[in-house]
Amino acid sequence: MAEALESAKRAIPSTLLVEGAPGIGKTALLDVACELAHERGFVVCRAKASLMEREMPFAVVQQLFERRLRGQDGGAA
């Protein structure tokens, strides 16, 4: 994760894939990735898709940006 973030700071793209069984710690790993990114000056936006929002176009996109647009992000979302 740290290498991918350092590459991003240098405008060199990279990709990380996080997969695994439920309960193995994927969300905790992503929490750490977000903390590392925030520490390096990145703007961090997060959203979580839900089945209830399936019929709502762009619901995840709205989650990503609504706090920033309202000025309530505190530097990370």
Side-chain angles (χ1 to χ4, degrees), residues 2-77:
E3 286 180 28
L5 290 168
E6 292 304 319
S7 291
K9 283 185 81 166
R10 295 187 310 272
I12 301 169
S14 64
T15 302
L16 295 174
L17 173 65
V18 177
E19 65 179 340
I24 201 166
K26 297 179 300 289
T27 300
L29 185 61
L30 292 174
D31 289 341
V32 171
C34 289
E35 288 176 26
L36 292 172
H38 184 68
E39 289 170 2
R40 287 165 171 76
F42 287 92
V43 173
V44 178
C45 299
R46 294 179 73 170
K48 184 175 182 179
S50 81
L51 291 176
M52 293 176 58
E53 296 174 324
R54 183 187 303 199
E55 301 299 321
M56 297 172 55
F58 304 104
V60 172
V61 175
Q62 180 180 345
Q63 284 182 50
L64 285 172
F65 297 106
E66 67 185 345
R67 288 178 63 194
R68 284 198 60 75
L69 293 173
R70 292 182 184 166
Q72 300 170 349
D73 66 338

